């Protein structure tokens, strides 16, 4: 049969999929790249990233980060980095659509309350904050609690671990699209906190602000840095930070 020669794995006489060059079960459709999966983290030690991850922090140094006045100066020890009052830090590398993994721990010693307890933040593209806060037995305004899209959406549930324990964020982010000055499509984010879904393909209203309504008042580039917040020197720790650019098998 001719179809066996040209398409040994599938078919070449089936209908075309809508808006696609490929047929149903198309034998010529490219195979997805192979990625070796990572391993899960435990409280004792971070897991291994998947084989195609871009490592932003592996516990050793801040060579991929910069700070307020050039060098990133957060404390690095025992496989983690810790906020120390020297200001926000951000990655030298800029990226857009991504799968991002990071782990953080609020200070074991409980100090302060509401927004004043273990506050930090993960700023996607340097603009869109997923809140980091000690939200374990620590009430605060809902759209500012742990894993909130700050000032916009509370997480679906509070999945916090106790202060001092390592927690995970797995974030799936789609950058906003602009055409000239016009917003074509907002940013979307899915967030999994400690294995629990807390935002599902949530449209973001605009760059994060404080006490104001967020909006896409001006366009920005398609990529940006990952920024981590130094909020008044709250000694939040981070470890095992990596991302994978989101690219489909057809775009590789
Ligand atoms: Mg914050």
């Amino acid at each position: 049969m001719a179809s066996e020669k040209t398409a040994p794995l599938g078919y070449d006489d089936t209908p075309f999929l809508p808006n696609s060059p490929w047929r149903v079960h198309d034998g010529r459709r490219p195979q997805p790249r192979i990625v070796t999966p990572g391993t899960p983290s435990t409280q004792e030690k971070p897991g291994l990233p998947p084989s195609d991850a871009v490592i932003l922090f592996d516990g050793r140094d801040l060579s991929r980060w910069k700070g307020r006045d050039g060098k990133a100066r957060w404390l690095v020890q025992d496989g983690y980095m810790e906020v120390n009052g020297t200001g926000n830090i951000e990655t030298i590398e800029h990226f857009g659509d991504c799968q991002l993994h990071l782990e953080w721990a609020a200070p074991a010693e409980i100090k302060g309350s509401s927004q004043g307890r273990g506050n930090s933040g993960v700023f996607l593209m340097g603009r869109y904050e997923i809140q980091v806060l000690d939200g374990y037995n620590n009430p605060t305004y809902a759209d500012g609690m742990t894993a909130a899209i700050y000032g916009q959406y509370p997480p679906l549930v509070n999945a916090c671990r106790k202060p001092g324990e390592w927690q995970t964020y797995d974030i799936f982010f789609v950058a906003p699209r602009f055409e000239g000055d016009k917003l074509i499509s907002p940013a979307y984010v899915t967030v999994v906190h400690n294995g629990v879904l807390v935002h599902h393909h949530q449209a973001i209203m605009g760059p994060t602000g404080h006490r104001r309504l967020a909006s896409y008042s001006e366009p920005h580039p398609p990529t940006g840095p990952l920024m981590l917040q130094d909020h008044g020197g709250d000694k939040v720790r981070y470890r095992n930070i990596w991302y994978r650019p989101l690219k489909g098998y057809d775009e590789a």
Side-chain angles (χ1 to χ4, degrees):
M1 274 172 17
S3 63
E4 280 181 3
K5 193 172 164 209
T6 52
L9 296 177
Y11 297 84
D12 62 6
D13 57 356
T14 44
F16 279 99
L17 292 159
N19 307 311
S20 171
W22 310 114
R23 296 173 184 273
V24 175
H25 315 312
D26 198 315
R28 281 161 296 203
R29 197 166 182 172
Q31 298 286 320
R33 283 180 301 114
I34 291 170
V35 172
T36 307
T39 57
S41 295
T42 63
Q43 287 300 318
E44 291 67 43
K45 100 178 167 29
L48 286 176
S51 60
D52 66 343
V54 178
I55 313 294
L56 296 173
F57 178 65
D58 66 1
R60 282 192 283 241
D61 62 65
L62 296 176
S63 56
R64 302 191 70 126
W65 299 77
K66 61 181 189 178
R68 201 161 36 193
D69 40 18
K71 222 168 132 53
R73 292 184 288 125
W74 287 13
L75 179 71
V76 178
Q77 63 182 19
D78 301 334
Y80 60 80
M81 58 161 106
E82 186 177 278
V83 178
N84 60 359
T86 56
N88 302 338
I89 62 170
E90 65 180 49
T91 56
I92 294 162
E93 186 164 326
H94 289 203
F95 52 97
D97 300 356
C98 65
Q99 171 185 358
L100 172 70
H101 174 90
L102 60 86
E103 302 175 22
W104 60 273
E109 186 196 345
I110 294 168
K111 238 171 52 183
S113 63
S114 185
Q115 295 290 303
R117 185 185 298 181
N119 194 334
S120 181
V122 174
F123 281 74
L124 298 153
M125 306 188 90
R127 294 175 172 85
Y128 306 101
E129 184 182 18
I130 307 300
Q131 175 70 304
V132 169
L133 188 78
D134 178 5
Y136 190 89
N137 286 336
N138 179 33
T140 187
Y141 46 86
D143 70 16
M145 65 183 283
T146 317
I149 300 170
Y150 186 81
Q152 301 180 23
Y153 295 99
L156 295 170
V157 294
N158 180 342
C160 284
R161 293 192 200 281
K162 292 177 182 167
E165 294 183 5
W166 285 105
Q167 314 203 35
T168 57
Y169 277 174
D170 288 284
I171 297 174
F172 309 90
F173 179 72
V174 179
R177 298 320 197 238
F178 298 93
E179 237 171 60
D181 280 352
K182 206 172 145 229
L183 179 76
I184 299 301
S185 163
Y188 287 96
V189 74
T190 297
V191 179
V192 177
H193 180 199
N194 295 326
V196 179
L197 181 72
V198 293
H199 297 286
H200 187 204
H201 195 61
Q202 180 63 59
I204 298 178
M205 295 174 190
T208 299
H210 183 55
R211 301 189 58 178
R212 62 171 178 77
L213 199 55
S215 73
Y216 295 96
S217 49
E218 40 185 65
H220 61 72
T223 62
L226 174 68
M227 187 175 90
L228 300 177
Q229 186 184 39
D230 179 337
H231 190 278
D234 285 8
K235 293 182 187 305
V236 174
R237 295 174 179 176
Y238 290 90
R239 71 176 190 186
N240 200 20
I241 308 177
W242 53 261
Y243 78 95
R244 304 177 56 252
L246 286 191
K247 246 193 294 181
Y249 52 88
D250 283 343
E251 309 165 62

